[in-house]
Structures are given as structure tokens and as C-alpha cells.
Amino acid sequence: MSTPSENTLFGMGNPLLDISAVVDKDFLDKFGLKLNDQILAEEKHKVLFEEIVKRNKVEYHAGGSTQNSVKIAQWMIQKPHKVATFFGCIGTDHFGEILKKKAEEAHVDAHYYEQNEEPTGTCAACITGDNRSLVANLAAANCYKKEKHLDLDSNWELVKKAKVYYIAGFFLTVSPESILKVAKHASDNNKIFCMNLSAPFISQFFKEPLMKVMPYVDILFGNETEAATFAKELGFETDDIAEIAKKTQNLPKENNKRQRVVVFTQGKDDTVATVGEKVTMFPVLNIDQNNIVDTNGAGDAFVGGFLYALVQEQDLEECIRAGHYAANVIIRRVGCTFPEKPDFH
């Protein structure tokens, strides 16, 4: 196992403050929300944010998919601090200050692009039983500008220091040109670029930017629903998840030195991954239904655990085992939060 140095892992995405609250079915119906879905907030959801904050037991957590994943990777690494770097855009406001403080507490080297036109983005996590429905109001997160942040020499130096890159598909709606610049750098230098399908709407409505980045993707993550939507959009004509993984692995790729790895999680069912020429199933850790507090963040946590093992140059099986461990820890708690120290052996 090699000990990673500072800034080995680079993440870029939408930094959001998660506002989670337990709601009832009527609340979901009122705003037309589906169980276990992720959507971008529209005009009709503006009231939702005002209402959810008034509910009892509201919790605030630093969130945003990519930021969650790099934070969990850093938590599992423990020392050295700041192995993980994170870029994204926030507002110059109270929520922005909270995000900065939380990133610092998590020992993530966050370099935010700060602007004052839009407030810091928020994500309402509406929890019903062990389901969650996410509504993201990107606001400031949507204002990330390549030329005002990523292209600055001091920031690009941090990108160059990394060996592993991870960007969730959600960022395709914000700055596809920033993703491409990082992805090409990784590919040209034979470094590892990872991406996530993130949500069904990404494959449906942002297919063009997604497919522009795909040739540079060394490791692609997703869950069973996202995989099915992706397959449908690409005309794979199969709903067999192993088959979808194989076909995705075989999509055109720029850097031939690395064969693409595709990893699809399926909640409590086996994780599906391409291993060389075959597709393998990896069972998740058993958990009593009563111990599941909140499945929000399970996917982000899986990626975080995976990245922890990946930056230490471990094999795929070990990366998946670490991913399963992290997800198992996260679903026992509210939000994407974790105990002080990991207990992973």
C-alpha cells in the first residue's frame, strides 16, 4: 500500500449545503417528488426550501455529491490531511462560511470560487422512512467559471499534482468545459479519471456533454436505475445490468493504456463490476433493516471508499470492499456524516 501525499485526489463539483428533514408522503405529493429521485429545483420548488426549514428536526450538512465522496475518501485516509482537493463555486454568505468550515474540519483542501451574484447552493433531502428524495437548488454552484478559477495557474498546479480525478455527472450541467480540461489532462498523462452517471436526468438531458467526456473516463460509477436509463439513451437494447456494464466498458476510449472499469451499485443487491474481460458480482455487507437510518449519501460514500483504496493503488476488489464498508457506515446515520475514525481493516 502506498501512502498518498497531499493533493493526490482531485474532485470538482457542486458544493451544496444539505438541508435534511423527515417529511410525509403528502409533502412529496405536494411538490411532485418521487421516492429516491434526484432533481434540480424549478420555480415551483422555491417554497419547498422555505417550508422544509420550518419543519422539526432539520439538519444541515456540507454536501454536494463530489464533495461528499472526496470527504469520505479523506476520512478513511485520516493522515496525511489534504490528500483530497476540491473545487466548486459558493456564495459570499452564511451558508458559504459553513461549507468552508466543514471542508476544513474534514481536512479537505477546498479551493472555492467565491462570487456574490448567487447565494450558496442548497439541497433539500426529503426523508420518508428509508427513502430520500433530493431537490437541488444549485444557485452559486451553477456559477463555476473555468476561466475565472480552473485556468488560474495556482489552481491548475493543484490539478497537475493529482493522480486520481473524480467528478460526478451532476457537474455536466454546470461546466462541461472544465470537466473536459481535467479529463484530457488525466488521459494525456496516463492518470485515472473517474466519473459518475449521478442521476437518470443526466443521461436523458445532458447526454451530449456526457458522451464528449466518456472517451476519457477510466472508471465509471452509477446505480442500477442510472445504468438502465443510460442504456436506454444509448440504444443498448438490454436491461441486463451485467450486459450494460460490458457495453459501457467497450465504448470508445482515448487512453488505451487503461481498460475502462465500470462499477454499478444496486442498493442491497450485489455490486456489478467489469474485471478485465468479464463482469463480476460483489455482494454488499449485510445490514439489519432496522439499522438503516438514511440511504442518502450511500452512493457518494461507496465512491469515497473506493477512491480511498484507489489512491493507495490497491486492486479493484479491494476498492469495492472499501466502498461497501463506507456505504455501510453512512446509511446508519443521517446525511453524509461519519464517526470520528473509520474501523476498516
Side-chain angles (χ1 to χ4, degrees):
M1 243 165 72
S2 66
T3 306
S5 48
E6 275 191 16
N7 308 111
T8 300
L9 172 63
F10 176 84
M12 179 166 61
N14 300 332
L16 304 173
L17 189 72
D18 283 347
I19 304 172
S20 51
V22 173
V23 301
D24 48 23
K25 183 143 179 355
D26 292 347
F27 185 88
L28 295 184
D29 293 343
K30 178 176 174 182
F31 293 105
L33 305 180
K34 292 191 219 121
L35 292 176
N36 285 329
D37 200 14
Q38 314 84 321
I39 61 167
L40 292 177
E42 295 165 40
E43 203 46 54
K44 65 176 181 193
H45 298 116
K46 291 285 187 277
V47 210
L48 179 150
F49 288 87
E50 291 160 21
E51 277 195 29
I52 201 162
V53 224
K54 292 183 188 141
R55 296 183 91 82
N56 50 1
K57 291 220 310 210
V58 180
E59 297 208 15
Y60 292 92
H61 298 287
S65 184
T66 306
Q67 186 166 241
N68 281 343
S69 295
V70 300
K71 201 162 66 178
I72 282 164
Q74 180 64 56
W75 167 69
M76 283 187 66
I77 291 164
Q78 290 282 308
K79 291 256 165 70
H81 292 162
K82 296 191 173 182
V83 167
T85 316
F86 179 75
F87 287 5
C89 181
I90 60 175
T92 47
D93 51 21
H94 177 57
F95 281 175
E97 288 306 315
I98 295 179
L99 281 185
K100 284 200 276 194
K101 189 166 148 282
K102 295 279 187 190
E104 203 175 315
E105 284 169 8
H107 308 299
V108 168
D109 194 14
H111 293 256
Y112 296 116
Y113 168 48
E114 297 180 44
Q115 50 72 60
N116 52 18
E117 279 164 40
E118 284 282 342
T120 297
T122 47
C123 178
C126 311
I127 299 157
T128 47
D130 57 8
N131 292 303
R132 52 98 182 115
S133 192
L134 306 179
V135 185
N137 180 27
L138 296 184
N142 212 10
C143 301
Y144 189 83
K145 299 276 183 289
K146 174 177 166 288
E147 59 286 356
K148 292 204 170 147
H149 195 262
L150 185 68
D151 293 346
L152 303 183
D153 290 346
S154 56
N155 289 335
W156 189 248
E157 281 306 314
L158 287 169
V159 175
K160 289 189 341 201
K161 263 178 97 172
K163 292 185 181 142
V164 174
Y165 302 84
Y166 174 64
I167 301 176
F170 288 125
F171 202 56
L172 287 163
T173 76
V174 174
S175 185
E177 58 285 355
S178 296
I179 301 178
L180 270 172
K181 183 175 182 180
V182 171
K184 283 179 177 164
H185 167 79
S187 180
D188 292 346
N189 295 277
N190 194 28
K191 298 198 275 191
I192 305 173
F193 182 79
C194 315
M195 198 151 184
N196 202 316
L197 292 174
S198 290
F201 82 83
I202 298 292
S203 299
Q204 289 167 313
F205 306 115
F206 295 88
K207 182 171 130 187
E208 197 186 340
L210 174 64
M211 294 320 287
K212 268 199 184 133
V213 181
M214 199 55 75
Y216 303 100
V217 177
D218 295 303
I219 302 176
L220 182 72
F221 299 101
N223 66 21
E224 71 278 42
T225 327
E226 293 148 13
T229 307
F230 181 70
K232 203 167 125 200
E233 289 299 323
L234 265 76
F236 284 174
E237 294 183 349
T238 177
D239 48 15
D240 176 291
I241 191 140
E243 191 61 23
I244 295 171
K246 195 78 208 127
K247 287 189 178 232
T248 305
Q249 179 186 36
N250 292 329
L251 289 168
K253 191 166 187 303
E254 279 292 323
N255 177 10
N256 299 322
K257 296 191 190 92
R258 295 181 188 277
Q259 185 180 30
R260 181 179 294 121
V261 172
V262 179
V263 184
F264 291 145
T265 56
Q266 311 186 79
K268 61 183 186 312
D269 296 327
D270 293 2
T271 294
V272 180
T274 57
V275 183
E277 295 311 310
K278 47 186 207 296
V279 177
T280 311
M281 303 294 196
F282 296 88
V284 302
L285 296 166
N286 281 331
I287 183 168
D288 184 332
Q289 201 62 25
N290 299 325
N291 292 333
I292 299 178
V293 175
D294 174 10
T295 55
N296 184 20
D300 295 340
F302 172 81
V303 173
F306 190 104
L307 293 170
Y308 146 82
L310 189 63
V311 296
Q312 299 181 67
E313 296 169 21
Q314 299 194 18
D315 63 14
L316 181 67
E317 201 165 325
E318 197 49 32
C319 291
I320 289 174
R321 195 171 77 83
H324 285 162
Y325 164 79
N328 187 276
V329 169
I330 296 307
I331 57 181
R332 297 167 190 267
R333 310 164 68 91
V334 175
C336 204
T337 60
F338 33 80
E340 191 191 342
K341 283 201 160 57
D343 160 33
F344 178 68
H345 307 291

